[in-house]
Amino acid sequence: MLHDIVKPSLTLFIICVVVSFSLAFTHGITKDRIEQREAEDALNARRAVLSQAEEFVKIDDINEFIAEDKSLEAVKEAYIGLKDGSFAGYTVKVKGKGYGGDIVITVGIGENGEVTGVNIGSHSETPGLGAKASGKPFLSQFEGLKSDKPLKVVKGEKKATEEIEAITGATITSKAVTSAIQTAIDMANAISVREAMK
């Protein structure tokens, strides 16, 4: 009777060990490739939103900005864009909270403070509704945008520079993307102020 219990338990244990080692081995092989792919995707996103820049220098101390202003907590990365060694603008990677979960957004801010581009990365928004946030009709509202007033989402036709027309049936996603872009603008402004004080 003891034999009937030990044998299946031992078999199950061996299977678990083999599966665990297999998963660890696969993870070890693919980890570097996945990280390399993510780095390439992030670089391509920066190039897409700030095409005038030839190189990007990472700002390593974004936590100092967040410590001073908690509204910047959604910022995950920020870079200074350079062209021929001269300042060309900023790129800011922000994680917003959409209807379906996190939305990763990279925003380009030009040297004059205007939005030069927006790239929506990974998201879980509803196909046909919130997913439209990554489309040109919605994102084109931000390109070239420069406003002294905070951005706000409106239903229907926009009447002011700072207004962004919501995607029909996806107001939560529209607000999440707009808020993330506002955070990126605020971060770029904070960096500019610090750079001007140097």
Side-chain angles (χ1 to χ4, degrees), residues 25-67:
F25 179 73
T26 303
H27 175 72
I29 290 174
T30 58
K31 182 182 172 210
D32 290 341
R33 269 190 238 155
I34 291 170
E35 287 177 355
Q36 182 182 358
R37 180 59 189 264
E38 287 174 351
E40 287 172 4
D41 289 347
L43 177 59
N44 289 334
R46 289 192 293 275
R47 287 177 173 159
V49 300
L50 193 67
S51 59
Q52 60 268 40
E54 296 168 341
E55 64 177 304
F56 299 92
V57 178
K58 188 172 185 178
I59 298 171
D60 292 318
D61 57 352
I62 63 167
N63 288 332
E64 291 179 19
F65 291 98
I66 294 169

Side-chain angles (χ1 to χ4, degrees), residues 14-152:
I14 291 169
I15 290 170
C16 289
V17 168
V18 170
V19 169
S20 296
F21 275 114
S22 297
L23 288 171
F25 179 73
T26 303
H27 175 72
I29 290 174
T30 58
K31 182 182 172 210
D32 290 341
R33 269 190 238 155
I34 291 170
E35 287 177 355
Q36 182 182 358
R37 180 59 189 264
E38 287 174 351
E40 287 172 4
D41 289 347
L43 177 59
N44 289 334
R46 289 192 293 275
R47 287 177 173 159
V49 300
L50 193 67
S51 59
Q52 60 268 40
E54 296 168 341
E55 64 177 304
F56 299 92
V57 178
K58 188 172 185 178
I59 298 171
D60 292 318
D61 57 352
I62 63 167
N63 288 332
E64 291 179 19
F65 291 98
I66 294 169
E68 291 176 16
D69 184 350
K70 294 297 181 190
S71 71
L72 300 175
E73 283 181 330
V75 174
K76 301 304 169 193
E77 289 181 342
Y79 286 80
I80 295 174
L82 301 173
K83 181 176 182 178
D84 296 327
S86 297
F87 175 70
Y90 302 104
T91 66
V92 181
K93 184 177 179 180
V94 184
K95 189 180 282 186
K97 277 279 184 197
Y99 180 77
D102 291 337
I103 306 174
V104 178
I105 304 165
T106 304
V107 183
I109 312 290
E111 55 188 319
N112 297 320
E114 78 285 0
V115 176
T116 56
V118 178
N119 178 278
I120 306 274
S122 61
H123 67 83
S124 305
E125 298 308 281
T126 310
L129 292 172
K132 289 182 179 179
S134 58
K136 188 78 173 165
F138 180 69
L139 294 182
S140 63
Q141 296 182 80
F142 299 99
E143 291 178 15
L145 181 64
K146 184 178 179 183
S147 175
D148 296 329
K149 296 179 181 176
L151 302 178
K152 66 177 181 177

